Amino acid sequence: MSDLGPVEQIPVGEGRTFAVDGTQIAVFRLRDGSLRAIDAVCPHKGGPLADGLADDTVVVCPLHGATFDMCSGTEAAGELAVRSYQVTAVDGAIRLTL
């Protein structure tokens, strides 16, 4: 388990990228306050997924519009996937399990 710092460093409705054990992980703070975490790099063209538009269930790659489910990591088109991670807020801190 990794402690990534305070939840407040991620504005509501946005994502941020963190380096954890050599892996780039995008953590999103959803509008309801919950957190989601997936691989930070799109497998198509290397787009920064933390910069993509996110709603309660999906994030859209800012480079070419691929849509990934933030719970499962699967792409809407079903071609490729990213890994999803378990992430929670504990006492105001982001905790990620690889």
Side-chain angles (χ1 to χ4, degrees):
M1 185 170 297
S2 296
D3 185 349
L4 303 180
V7 171
E8 291 78 28
Q9 67 184 314
I10 305 173
V12 173
E14 294 186 20
R16 294 291 182 265
T17 300
F18 296 88
V20 181
D21 294 338
T23 301
Q24 297 292 311
I25 298 174
V27 179
F28 298 87
R29 185 175 177 197
L30 305 181
R31 287 172 181 81
D32 68 1
S34 64
L35 300 172
R36 299 283 185 273
I38 60 174
D39 287 332
V41 179
C42 179
H44 291 110
K45 301 203 184 248
L49 292 178
D51 294 341
L53 295 175
D55 67 12
D56 290 343
T57 58
V58 299
V59 61
V60 178
C61 177
L63 290 187
H64 68 293
T67 303
F68 294 92
D69 182 290
M70 288 192 285
C71 292
S72 67
T74 58
E75 180 192 16
E79 294 177 13
L80 296 173
V82 293
R83 185 173 174 192
S84 61
Y85 301 89
Q86 181 180 6
V87 63
T88 57
V90 177
D91 296 326
I94 302 167
R95 298 279 168 81
L96 180 83
T97 302
L98 290 181

